[in-house]
Amino acid sequence: MNKMGLKAVVVTVLLAAALSYYIYTPMPDAIQEPWKLMAVDGFDSTMVALVGSRSPAGVVPGVKISDITFAGVPVRVYEPPAGGEGHLRRGLMYLHGGGWAFGSGKLSLNVCRYRLFPEVLFPEPFLDCVVAAKHFLSPEVLDKYAIDPERVAVSGDSAGGNLAAAVAQEVATDDSLSVKFSVQALIYPVLQALDFNTPSYVQNRNMAILPRQVMVQFWLQYLGADISLRPQLIANNHSALQHSALTPELRSRLDWTSLLSQKFKKSYKPVVVERDSHGLLKKIPGLLDTRSSPLLAGPEVLAKCPRTYILTCEFDVLRDEGLMYARRLKDAGVSVTSDYYEDGFHGCLSFISWPLDFDVGKRALRSYMTWLQNNL
């Protein structure tokens, strides 16, 4: 099929997918070219393969690419040309998204390919990333790749942003490490699982790409819990007032009524449940683990975190936890850049090439890259 024929097929299918989707789920007015977003959410994986037929993943002119392991964890290493004798590079460890269940370090410019559901459950993906990070930060490895130990970052998107934040906390508080991350860059990160009724969760509960029920399912899978518990978590029964483990101090760490500005609180009200008759916190102890929910970390941990960039989008269930994390890090004395997109949606940075290209994705990617250029 020639290029024009491929374009015709793709456009026809995208329009059909968009039309069928729009019948059931209208898009917010602020979304530019909403038919594209409808199409993204509407067609199946076979069509994704068709419209995604671009250059082979990972092919970057002039960059050496190696698929190896860091202490047993599969990684893909991208090495730009050396800058001459004595020139040190900057280093970036990137953790891919995909709800801890999908994705691969071989599909894009990702570094760490941690094990996924259903092969493993929490905390194994986190532990994989910690092992890989400590290996990457070792003086021997940094010297091998000519990386400046003062200019090493950890970054990730969505579930990868969750892992990046958790790994950054782990590394920052590990006194045995001589080299630590100098910055962390989190792209619409997943940061907590105790409140699925924040304003952004309620506002975007049926939003394309990542509706609330899908995010809750990702959490249940990651924490090894029964999917049938999803309605209980959506109702916030797992964070009922009866739970003594949820102390006032712990609740304050994700209290959106005090951590969000009025712009984001709008007219939404907290969903607070008195009693949990299902014993959810005992069934799912990972809900209270800071390794799965970095937003729950105490101020003494946050104060040790590196300079931070957090990207959030208006049309994303995860918006508020990213904003709350930015606020709490700032309150702990960390330098934070909060990059918010009023017309953004979850996953927008993945859609920057024809035919599913969005201007907001291109703007957000440029901003992310510029921040790294200026801060790493």
Side-chain angles (χ1 to χ4, degrees):
M1 181 181 296
N2 61 34
K3 186 175 182 180
M4 289 301 296
L6 175 60
K7 285 186 176 181
V9 170
V10 170
V11 171
T12 299
V13 174
L14 290 182
L15 289 173
L19 180 61
S20 63
Y21 188 93
Y22 184 76
I23 292 172
Y24 299 100
T25 311
M27 289 289 103
D29 292 339
I31 296 288
Q32 297 181 1
E33 299 182 292
W35 68 271
K36 287 185 181 179
L37 187 55
M38 297 171 201
V40 168
D41 207 54
F43 56 65
D44 61 22
S45 58
T46 302
M47 187 49 55
V48 170
L50 170 62
V51 302
S53 56
R54 299 188 290 270
S55 300
V59 176
V60 182
V63 174
K64 178 184 176 183
I65 302 173
S66 306
D67 290 321
I68 59 174
T69 62
F70 278 2
V73 179
V75 299
R76 172 166 282 190
V77 178
Y78 295 81
E79 294 180 71
E85 186 176 353
H87 176 80
L88 294 178
R89 303 180 174 108
R90 289 174 283 188
L92 170 67
M93 178 177 180
Y94 194 91
L95 308 176
H96 66 81
W100 308 285
F102 306 106
S104 166
K106 295 183 178 181
L107 294 179
S108 59
L109 298 182
N110 297 333
V111 173
C112 180
R113 200 299 194 187
Y114 54 91
R115 290 173 293 168
L116 303 169
F117 173 89
E119 178 188 356
V120 295
L121 307 173
F122 174 80
E124 296 306 318
F126 165 78
L127 296 175
D128 282 355
C129 294
V130 169
V131 167
K134 291 183 177 181
H135 182 85
F136 184 44
L137 291 170
S138 67
E140 298 79 14
V141 173
L142 295 177
D143 183 65
K144 175 183 176 181
Y145 293 108
I147 295 174
D148 186 340
E150 299 295 323
R151 306 177 77 181
V152 189
V154 62
S155 183
D157 64 287
S158 194
N162 166 278
L163 292 166
V167 168
Q169 290 182 4
E170 179 74 14
V171 168
T173 55
D174 188 339
D175 294 333
S176 70
L177 298 176
S178 60
V179 179
K180 309 212 176 196
F181 291 115
S182 55
V183 302
Q184 63 174 334
L186 313 177
I187 301 171
Y188 26 75
V190 185
L191 296 167
Q192 63 87 29
L194 286 177
D195 188 354
F196 292 114
N197 287 275
T198 62
S200 61
Y201 258 112
V202 176
Q203 171 186 293
N204 300 303
R205 60 190 180 277
N206 296 316
M207 187 62 192
I209 308 296
L210 188 65
R212 177 168 61 175
Q213 64 174 355
V214 171
M215 189 64 243
V216 175
Q217 178 170 327
F218 282 148
W219 268 113
L220 289 168
Q221 291 175 169
Y222 184 44
L223 299 179
D226 195 315
I227 302 301
S228 68
L229 295 175
R230 181 165 53 185
Q232 301 299 322
L233 268 63
I234 290 176
N236 272 4
N237 287 338
H238 60 305
S239 56
L241 294 176
Q242 76 178 75
H243 293 299
S244 59
L246 285 173
T247 63
E249 166 62 23
L250 193 59
R251 290 181 186 275
S252 72
R253 297 174 186 177
L254 68 157
D255 179 9
W256 58 263
T257 64
S258 62
L259 293 172
L260 294 181
S261 68
Q262 187 58 46
K263 173 181 179 178
F264 300 107
K265 289 190 290 187
K266 302 176 183 176
S267 59
Y268 292 100
K269 303 297 181 184
V271 174
V272 181
V273 178
E274 289 289 335
R275 300 195 61 79
D276 166 23
S277 61
H278 297 269
L280 293 171
L281 288 186
K282 290 184 178 180
K283 292 180 179 178
I284 321 173
L287 289 168
L288 296 178
D289 197 317
T290 57
R291 298 174 301 172
S292 74
S293 300
L295 184 58
L296 298 181
E300 71 285 355
V301 172
L302 300 188
K304 295 183 178 181
C305 287
R307 189 162 62 255
T308 300
Y309 169 92
I310 301 179
L311 187 152
T312 57
C313 295
E314 175 65 19
F315 303 109
D316 181 6
V317 294
L318 305 176
R319 180 198 69 198
D320 292 345
E321 50 208 73
L323 294 170
M324 287 191 283
Y325 197 48
R327 167 71 183 277
R328 292 199 60 225
L329 284 167
K330 286 180 182 178
D331 289 349
V334 177
S335 175
V336 179
T337 297
S338 182
D339 196 12
Y340 160 74
Y341 290 85
E342 283 194 346
D343 57 341
F345 56 90
H346 190 83
C348 63
L349 267 75
S350 298
F351 302 105
I352 57 173
S353 300
W354 184 90
L356 299 178
D357 54 322
F358 291 84
D359 178 69
V360 65
K362 296 174 183 178
R363 284 186 278 117
L365 180 59
R366 284 195 299 268
S367 180
Y368 166 69
M369 297 299 293
T370 298
W371 189 89
L372 285 175
Q373 183 71 27
N374 294 336
N375 289 274
L376 178 56

